[in-house]
Amino acid sequence: MSAAIEVMRHHRSIRKFTEQALSADQIEAIMASAQAASSSSFLQASAVIRVTDPELRTQVMALCGNQPYIGGAAEFWVFCADFHRHLQWVPEARTGFAEQLLIGAIDTALMGQNALTAAESLGLGGVFIGAVRNQPFELCALLELPKGVIPLFGLCLGYPAQDPEPKPRLPASLMFCENGYPARFDEGQMQAYDEQVQQYYRTRTGGNKDMSWTGQIGETLAKEARPFMLEFLHRQGFCLR
């Protein structure tokens, strides 16, 4: 098995970091790896804000639920979908289409995954932060994001100060389908996976969390998350048509 596959298969989210900074060479290598990701129609519809100012990092952390690893990581980057740059150089370009949101989100997610995989290959760790979308209006003002730019997720990077076990993923047979989508997934496999996840949480939390994967689905999807998101997208010039 290749070294690249080993790195990807042993991914863990790291939320505790040492105080050691990343070198300039490491940062440059991670950035170059992120930029090497595939891009739809070569639009390169992404921008990344590297938050290095301590006070600004504290303010961003406050908008993201005060998750302490945002402040504790050596690096914190905010990945954004970006069509503002296109309009700067090609003012007649037509933007605001729903498909462009998908392009920007997909391009940026591919960049983010490349960045994290590159970091992990260097012995670093990281965790993605979806909470940058908790207060997007305020975050846009704080990071001076113009119309045509939306923050999608953050990424903490640094030297790990913990060694968690990998979180169990769905069996491949419940995710990879051949020649079409099945009428019904196997209930027995689902039950076995539920039990595996439940045991994982019990072990990781010392018995403080006892939840199956389907239980987590029910809790997470019980209500609409971030109901302000469509208004925010419209304000930033996305999904207008």
Coordinates of all heavy atoms in Angstrom, one line a residue, residues 118-167:
A118 N -2.0 16.9 2.9 CA -0.6 17.3 2.8 C 0.0 17.5 4.2 O 1.1 17.1 4.5 CB -0.4 18.6 2.0
A119 N -0.7 18.2 5.1 CA -0.3 18.4 6.4 C 0.0 17.1 7.2 O 1.0 17.0 7.9 CB -1.3 19.3 7.2
E120 N -1.0 16.2 7.0 CA -0.9 14.9 7.7 C 0.3 14.1 7.2 O 1.0 13.4 8.0 CB -2.2 14.1 7.6 CG -3.3 14.7 8.4 CD -4.6 14.0 8.1 OE1 -4.8 13.4 7.1 OE2 -5.5 14.1 9.0
S121 N 0.7 14.3 5.9 CA 1.8 13.6 5.4 C 3.1 14.1 6.0 O 4.2 13.4 5.9 CB 1.8 13.7 3.9 OG 2.3 15.0 3.4
L122 N 3.1 15.3 6.5 CA 4.2 15.9 7.2 C 4.3 15.7 8.7 O 5.1 16.3 9.4 CB 4.2 17.5 6.9 CG 4.3 17.9 5.4 CD1 4.1 19.4 5.3 CD2 5.7 17.5 4.8
G123 N 3.4 14.8 9.2 CA 3.4 14.6 10.6 C 2.5 15.5 11.4 O 2.6 15.5 12.6
L124 N 1.8 16.4 10.7 CA 0.9 17.4 11.4 C -0.5 16.8 11.5 O -0.8 15.7 11.0 CB 0.9 18.7 10.6 CG 2.3 19.3 10.3 CD1 2.1 20.4 9.3 CD2 2.9 19.8 11.6
G125 N -1.3 17.6 12.2 CA -2.7 17.2 12.3 C -3.6 18.4 12.1 O -3.1 19.5 12.1
G126 N -4.9 18.1 12.0 CA -5.8 19.3 11.9 C -7.3 18.9 12.0 O -7.6 17.7 12.2
V127 N -8.1 19.9 12.0 CA -9.6 19.6 12.1 C -10.3 20.7 11.3 O -9.9 21.9 11.3 CB -10.0 19.6 13.5 CG1 -9.8 20.9 14.3 CG2 -11.5 19.2 13.6
F128 N -11.3 20.3 10.6 CA -12.1 21.3 9.8 C -13.1 21.9 10.8 O -13.6 21.3 11.7 CB -12.9 20.6 8.7 CG -11.9 20.3 7.5 CD1 -11.7 18.9 7.2 CD2 -11.3 21.2 6.7 CE1 -10.9 18.6 6.2 CE2 -10.5 20.9 5.7 CZ -10.3 19.6 5.4
I129 N -13.4 23.2 10.5 CA -14.3 24.0 11.4 C -15.5 24.5 10.6 O -15.4 25.5 9.8 CB -13.6 25.2 12.1 CG1 -12.3 24.7 12.8 CG2 -14.5 25.9 13.0 CD1 -12.6 23.8 14.0
G130 N -16.6 23.8 10.7 CA -17.9 24.3 10.0 C -18.5 25.5 10.7 O -19.3 26.2 10.1
A131 N -18.1 25.7 11.9 CA -18.7 26.8 12.7 C -18.4 28.2 12.1 O -18.9 29.2 12.6 CB -18.2 26.7 14.1
V132 N -17.5 28.3 11.1 CA -17.3 29.6 10.5 C -18.6 30.1 9.8 O -18.7 31.3 9.5 CB -16.2 29.6 9.4 CG1 -14.8 29.2 10.1 CG2 -16.5 28.7 8.3
R133 N -19.6 29.2 9.7 CA -20.9 29.6 9.1 C -21.9 29.9 10.2 O -23.1 30.2 9.8 CB -21.4 28.4 8.2 CG -20.4 28.1 7.0 CD -21.1 27.1 6.0 NE -21.6 25.9 6.7 CZ -20.8 24.8 6.9 NH1 -19.5 24.8 6.7 NH2 -21.4 23.7 7.5
N134 N -21.5 29.9 11.4 CA -22.4 30.2 12.5 C -22.9 31.6 12.5 O -24.1 31.9 12.7 CB -21.8 29.9 13.9 CG -21.8 28.4 14.2 OD1 -22.2 27.6 13.4 ND2 -21.2 28.1 15.4
Q135 N -22.0 32.5 12.2 CA -22.3 34.0 12.2 C -21.6 34.6 10.9 O -20.7 35.4 11.1 CB -21.9 34.7 13.5 CG -22.5 34.1 14.7 CD -22.2 34.9 16.0 OE1 -22.5 36.1 16.1 NE2 -21.5 34.3 16.9
P136 N -22.1 34.2 9.8 CA -21.4 34.6 8.5 C -21.4 36.0 8.2 O -20.4 36.6 7.7 CB -22.1 33.7 7.5 CG -23.5 33.5 8.0 CD -23.3 33.4 9.5
F137 N -22.5 36.7 8.6 CA -22.5 38.2 8.4 C -21.4 38.9 9.1 O -20.7 39.7 8.6 CB -23.9 38.8 8.8 CG -25.1 38.2 8.0 CD1 -25.8 37.2 8.5 CD2 -25.4 38.8 6.8 CE1 -26.9 36.7 7.8 CE2 -26.5 38.3 6.1 CZ -27.2 37.3 6.6
E138 N -21.3 38.5 10.4 CA -20.2 39.1 11.2 C -18.8 38.7 10.8 O -17.9 39.5 10.8 CB -20.5 38.7 12.7 CG -21.7 39.3 13.3 CD -23.0 38.4 13.0 OE1 -22.9 37.5 12.2 OE2 -24.0 38.8 13.6
L139 N -18.7 37.4 10.4 CA -17.4 37.0 9.9 C -16.9 37.7 8.7 O -15.8 38.0 8.5 CB -17.4 35.5 9.7 CG -16.0 34.8 9.5 CD1 -15.1 35.0 10.7 CD2 -16.1 33.4 9.1
C140 N -17.9 37.9 7.8 CA -17.5 38.6 6.5 C -17.1 40.0 6.9 O -16.1 40.5 6.2 CB -18.8 38.7 5.6 SG -19.0 37.2 4.6
A141 N -17.7 40.7 7.8 CA -17.3 42.0 8.2 C -15.9 42.0 8.8 O -15.0 42.8 8.5 CB -18.3 42.6 9.2
L142 N -15.7 41.0 9.7 CA -14.4 40.9 10.4 C -13.2 40.6 9.4 O -12.1 41.2 9.6 CB -14.5 39.8 11.4 CG -13.4 39.7 12.5 CD1 -13.3 40.9 13.3 CD2 -13.6 38.5 13.3
L143 N -13.5 39.7 8.5 CA -12.4 39.4 7.5 C -12.4 40.2 6.2 O -11.7 39.9 5.3 CB -12.5 37.9 7.2 CG -12.3 36.9 8.3 CD1 -12.4 35.5 7.9 CD2 -11.0 37.1 9.1
E144 N -13.3 41.2 6.2 CA -13.4 42.1 5.0 C -13.7 41.3 3.7 O -13.1 41.6 2.7 CB -12.2 43.0 4.9 CG -12.0 43.8 6.2 CD -10.7 44.7 6.1 OE1 -9.9 44.4 5.2 OE2 -10.5 45.6 6.9
L145 N -14.6 40.4 3.8 CA -14.9 39.6 2.6 C -16.0 40.3 1.8 O -17.1 40.6 2.3 CB -15.5 38.2 3.0 CG -14.6 37.3 3.9 CD1 -15.3 36.0 4.2 CD2 -13.2 37.1 3.3
P146 N -15.7 40.6 0.6 CA -16.6 41.4 -0.3 C -17.7 40.5 -0.8 O -17.7 39.3 -0.7 CB -15.7 42.0 -1.4 CG -14.7 40.9 -1.5 CD -14.4 40.3 -0.1
K147 N -18.6 41.2 -1.5 CA -19.7 40.5 -2.2 C -19.0 39.5 -3.2 O -18.1 39.9 -3.9 CB -20.6 41.4 -2.9 CG -21.9 40.8 -3.5 CD -22.8 41.9 -4.0 CE -24.1 41.2 -4.6 NZ -25.1 42.3 -5.1
G148 N -19.6 38.3 -3.3 CA -19.0 37.3 -4.2 C -18.0 36.4 -3.5 O -17.5 35.5 -4.1
V149 N -17.9 36.5 -2.2 CA -17.0 35.7 -1.4 C -17.8 35.2 -0.2 O -18.5 36.0 0.5 CB -15.7 36.4 -0.9 CG1 -14.9 35.4 -0.1 CG2 -15.0 36.9 -2.1
I150 N -17.8 33.9 0.1 CA -18.5 33.3 1.3 C -17.6 32.4 2.0 O -16.9 31.5 1.4 CB -19.8 32.6 0.9 CG1 -19.6 31.6 -0.2 CG2 -20.9 33.6 0.5 CD1 -20.8 30.7 -0.5
P151 N -17.5 32.4 3.3 CA -16.7 31.5 4.1 C -17.4 30.1 4.2 O -18.6 30.1 4.5 CB -16.6 32.1 5.5 CG -17.8 33.0 5.6 CD -18.2 33.4 4.2
L152 N -16.7 29.1 3.8 CA -17.3 27.7 3.9 C -16.9 26.9 5.1 O -17.7 26.3 5.7 CB -16.9 27.0 2.6 CG -17.5 27.6 1.3 CD1 -16.9 26.8 0.1 CD2 -19.0 27.5 1.2
F153 N -15.6 26.9 5.4 CA -15.1 26.2 6.5 C -13.7 26.7 6.9 O -13.1 27.3 6.1 CB -15.1 24.7 6.2 CG -14.2 24.3 5.0 CD1 -12.9 24.1 5.1 CD2 -14.9 24.2 3.8 CE1 -12.1 23.8 4.0 CE2 -14.1 23.9 2.6 CZ -12.7 23.7 2.7
G154 N -13.4 26.4 8.2 CA -12.0 26.7 8.6 C -11.2 25.5 8.7 O -11.7 24.3 8.7
L155 N -9.9 25.6 8.9 CA -9.0 24.5 9.1 C -7.9 24.9 10.1 O -7.2 25.8 9.9 CB -8.4 24.1 7.8 CG -7.3 23.0 7.8 CD1 -7.9 21.7 8.3 CD2 -6.7 22.7 6.4
C156 N -7.9 24.1 11.2 CA -6.9 24.2 12.2 C -5.7 23.3 11.8 O -6.0 22.1 11.4 CB -7.4 23.9 13.6 SG -8.7 24.9 14.3
L157 N -4.5 23.7 11.9 CA -3.3 22.9 11.6 C -2.3 23.1 12.7 O -2.1 24.2 13.2 CB -2.7 23.3 10.2 CG -3.6 23.0 9.0 CD1 -2.9 23.6 7.8 CD2 -3.8 21.5 8.8
G158 N -1.6 22.0 13.0 CA -0.5 22.1 13.9 C 0.1 20.7 14.3 O -0.3 19.7 13.7
Y159 N 1.0 20.7 15.2 CA 1.6 19.4 15.7 C 0.6 18.8 16.7 O 0.3 19.5 17.7 CB 3.0 19.7 16.3 CG 4.0 19.9 15.3 CD1 4.3 21.2 14.8 CD2 4.8 18.8 14.8 CE1 5.3 21.4 13.8 CE2 5.8 19.0 13.8 CZ 6.0 20.3 13.3 OH 7.0 20.5 12.4
P160 N 0.2 17.6 16.5 CA -0.7 17.0 17.4 C -0.2 16.8 18.9 O 0.9 16.5 19.1 CB -1.0 15.6 16.8 CG -0.6 15.7 15.4 CD 0.6 16.7 15.4
A161 N -1.1 17.1 19.8 CA -0.8 16.9 21.2 C -1.8 15.8 21.8 O -2.1 15.7 23.0 CB -1.0 18.2 22.0
Q162 N -2.4 15.0 20.9 CA -3.2 13.9 21.3 C -3.1 12.8 20.2 O -2.6 13.1 19.1 CB -4.7 14.4 21.4 CG -5.3 14.9 20.1 CD -6.8 15.4 20.3 OE1 -7.3 15.9 19.4 NE2 -7.4 15.1 21.4
D163 N -3.6 11.6 20.5 CA -3.5 10.5 19.5 C -4.8 9.7 19.6 O -4.9 8.6 20.0 CB -2.3 9.6 19.9 CG -2.1 8.5 18.9 OD1 -2.5 8.7 17.7 OD2 -1.5 7.5 19.2
P164 N -5.9 10.4 19.1 CA -7.2 9.7 19.1 C -7.3 8.6 18.1 O -6.6 8.6 17.1 CB -8.2 10.8 18.7 CG -7.4 11.7 17.9 CD -6.0 11.7 18.5
E165 N -8.1 7.6 18.3 CA -8.3 6.5 17.4 C -9.2 7.0 16.2 O -10.0 7.9 16.4 CB -8.9 5.3 18.0 CG -10.3 5.5 18.5 CD -10.9 4.2 19.1 OE1 -11.1 3.2 18.3 OE2 -11.2 4.2 20.3
P166 N -9.0 6.5 15.0 CA -9.9 6.9 13.9 C -11.3 6.6 14.2 O -11.7 5.6 14.8 CB -9.3 6.1 12.7 CG -8.0 5.7 13.1 CD -8.0 5.5 14.6
K167 N -12.2 7.5 13.8 CA -13.6 7.3 13.9 C -14.1 6.3 12.9 O -13.8 6.4 11.7 CB -14.4 8.7 13.7 CG -15.9 8.6 14.0 CD -16.5 10.0 13.9 CE -16.0 10.9 15.1 NZ -16.7 12.2 15.0

